[in-house]
Amino acid sequence: MYAKPDSTTMKARVARAGDAMDAALKSLSYGASRPVPEAEPSLSVMRNDNDRVVASLAERRAETAALEVAEGATKDIARKPESATRVPEGIALARPSREEAEAAVRTLLRWAGDDPNREGLLDTPARVVKAYGQLFGGYDVDADALLERVFEEVEGYSDIVLVRDIPFYSHCEHHMVPFMGLAHIAYYPTKGVVGLSKLARVVDTFARRLQTQETMTAQIADVIESILKPRGVAVLVEAEHLCMAMRGVQKAGVSTITTQFRGAFREDASEQVRFLTLVRGGKA
């Protein structure tokens, strides 16, 4: 049978348990490698100790950041988003196979709640991948090369050249939902003029990438300015975004207008007025 311990035995056990707990708490608070102080540390001592820990962590973070910067100078680091560059480089690197892309489409179909194995969806992954090859074909085109051929025999023509109402279809990089509209481009030639269709091809090149309208507008102006070296460039893009019409606020028919003015168009407000008048069908 179980014998109930007497009061002396109970007191001894309690005392031993208390000593063991004190030792464990001291070990956890100060570590085995540090001397245990005789008295409990004051609040100010504990605060100073915390300050030293925080300072040490800050020094380690600074050392890590410096090391990352040094390593980044000698090896490849994460690329900027491709939409931020005029001509994406190495686009084929790490590009998934067609089979992997089709498998991803089947995953999305299942996530949407449908059965990719039913008759109507059996060929959908292949169709989507093929369509993406066309919708995002701008990644494979060098916009600079489109403008390299210039016609210099234009009998000294140096006035404005305007191509307006260039239709385009692009995809919002935030939701991968289409936005579409018209682009209008004008420039003052210096060394010659470029084929008119080339300006439309430049619009298509940037539109057929994941985009924001603001970025696309700047990219069009940038490539014309850098390759043709005109006296001035003006670009106006107006579009409707289905990511605003189909989802979110769901407001259809809303137009977004973005502009870029370079050279003479930026320096002279009257040139901007002339450009906008011509775009709207008036006479300058």
Side-chain angles (χ1 to χ4, degrees):
M1 295 181 63
Y2 174 73
K4 183 177 180 181
D6 56 26
S7 59
T8 303
T9 303
M10 288 293 294
K11 289 179 180 178
R13 290 181 180 177
V14 170
R16 287 197 298 273
D19 292 342
M21 184 173 291
D22 288 343
L25 289 174
K26 290 177 180 178
S27 175
L28 290 173
S29 300
Y30 302 104
S33 62
R34 297 178 57 182
V36 180
E38 293 295 334
E40 183 178 342
S42 66
L43 181 60
S44 61
V45 171
M46 294 176 68
R47 184 179 294 115
N48 290 337
D49 190 57
N50 289 338
D51 290 343
R52 285 193 293 272
V53 172
V54 171
S56 177
L57 289 174
E59 290 176 358
R60 290 181 182 179
R61 291 193 185 101
E63 291 174 357
T64 301
L67 181 61
E68 289 175 352
V69 171
E71 290 178 347
T74 58
K75 70 176 184 178
D76 290 336
I77 58 176
R79 294 177 178 271
K80 294 180 179 179
E82 295 292 3
S83 61
T85 61
R86 184 189 307 155
V87 180
E89 297 177 358
I91 191 65
L93 296 178
R95 199 170 193 171
S97 67
R98 187 182 187 88
E99 290 74 19
E100 290 173 318
E102 292 181 8
V105 175
R106 282 190 286 272
T107 298
L108 287 175
L109 290 174
R110 290 198 304 272
W111 185 87
D114 215 323
D115 178 11
N117 294 316
R118 69 178 177 84
E119 183 181 7
L121 294 178
L122 276 177
D123 295 326
T124 295
R127 294 190 189 103
V128 170
V129 171
K130 182 179 179 181
Y132 268 36
Q134 181 179 8
L135 295 174
F136 301 112
Y139 287 115
D140 299 319
V141 180
D142 185 348
D144 292 29
L146 293 173
L147 301 177
E148 287 179 351
R149 185 180 180 187
V150 175
F151 300 98
E152 298 181 1
E153 296 181 2
V154 288
E155 300 298 332
Y157 184 86
S158 59
D159 205 348
I160 192 171
V161 176
L162 170 67
V163 181
R164 69 183 187 186
D165 299 334
I166 304 170
F168 71 87
Y169 301 88
S170 190
H171 282 74
C172 165
E173 67 181 28
H174 300 140
H175 304 99
M176 294 185 71
V177 176
F179 69 94
M180 69 285 294
L182 300 172
H184 316 277
I185 302 173
Y187 69 100
Y188 279 105
T190 53
K191 62 178 182 178
V193 298
V194 70
L196 301 179
S197 66
K198 303 303 183 183
L199 296 177
R201 291 184 183 277
V202 166
V203 173
D204 262 354
T205 295
F206 293 120
R208 294 185 183 277
R209 301 177 185 180
L210 291 173
Q211 279 288 14
T212 66
Q213 183 176 333
E214 297 86 347
T215 299
M216 190 179 83
T217 307
Q219 288 174 330
I220 294 170
D222 181 44
V223 70
I224 294 173
E225 183 179 39
S226 63
I227 302 301
L228 298 184
K229 300 293 191 297
R231 190 160 56 85
V233 180
V235 179
L236 185 148
V237 176
E238 47 188 329
E240 180 179 3
H241 294 248
L242 294 189
C243 60
M244 184 176 180
M246 296 174 60
R247 56 162 299 284
V249 70
Q250 298 184 17
K251 298 297 181 185
V254 177
S255 293
T256 299
I257 295 177
T258 51
T259 61
Q260 280 285 292
F261 297 112
R262 309 284 178 84
F265 288 100
R266 179 164 49 191
E267 297 163 1
D268 189 344
S270 66
E271 293 291 353
Q272 298 178 25
V273 172
R274 185 187 186 198
F275 167 70
L276 295 174
T277 301
L278 290 171
V279 165
R280 297 309 177 197
K283 294 182 178 180

